[in-house]
Amino acid sequence: MARGQRERVDRTTQVTRDYTINLHKRTHKIAFKKRAPRAIKEIRKFAHQNMGTTDVRIDTSLNTFVWGKGVRNVPTRVRVRISRKRNDDEDAKEKMYSLCTLVDVPSFKNLSTERVAE
């Protein structure tokens, strides 16, 4: 592969990856009453950028984790498992959707993006 060229990514395969999202830098300088909603929007935006699907679904466990300390005190980091899945709905606009679920970790030290075997 030539320098500066990137390999074409196939956006139609089913894949699952674990990511650590730093919510602190994404909600910095955001008004207190808008922090938790902005954190959810940033998780959706992150999943859209990494998985290439506009249909991003947030699991209830992840939603309660983000909102757990209130609207103001959003967690600093969150470990998320993002799965790109096939949309079985017949009248869906897209073939694929992303599902974001919470991964409980004791510490965020030395974690990197990992591909999860399904």
Side-chain angles (χ1 to χ4, degrees), residues 89-103:
D89 197 14
E90 295 156 0
D91 54 332
K93 295 177 185 173
E94 287 196 26
K95 294 186 287 187
M96 308 296 280
Y97 71 93
S98 297
L99 177 65
C100 301
T101 56
L102 178 68
V103 179

Side-chain angles (χ1 to χ4, degrees), residues 59-107:
D59 190 44
T60 55
S61 62
L62 178 59
N63 192 42
T64 54
F65 180 77
V66 171
W67 281 88
K69 295 193 291 182
V71 71
R72 293 170 52 157
N73 301 314
V74 176
T76 306
R77 286 181 179 83
V78 63
R79 187 75 174 169
V80 176
R81 179 166 290 152
I82 304 176
S83 305
R84 188 190 309 137
K85 296 184 176 186
R86 194 167 315 285
N87 204 344
D88 294 331
D89 197 14
E90 295 156 0
D91 54 332
K93 295 177 185 173
E94 287 196 26
K95 294 186 287 187
M96 308 296 280
Y97 71 93
S98 297
L99 177 65
C100 301
T101 56
L102 178 68
V103 179
D104 287 326
V105 291
S107 173

Side-chain angles (χ1 to χ4, degrees), residues 17-44:
R17 295 189 196 107
D18 285 351
Y19 294 99
T20 301
I21 302 175
N22 187 350
L23 294 176
H24 184 259
K25 73 176 185 180
R26 289 175 169 85
T27 57
H28 183 64
K29 291 192 174 181
I30 302 298
F32 278 149
K33 297 297 181 180
K34 297 180 181 179
R35 281 196 180 190
R38 174 63 73 92
I40 296 294
K41 287 176 190 168
E42 290 293 331
I43 292 171
R44 285 184 192 274

Side-chain angles (χ1 to χ4, degrees), residues 15-19 50-51 80-82 113-116:
V15 68
T16 302
R17 295 189 196 107
D18 285 351
Y19 294 99
N50 286 289
M51 290 294 174
V80 176
R81 179 166 290 152
I82 304 176
T113 299
E114 299 172 353
R115 187 170 186 179
V116 179

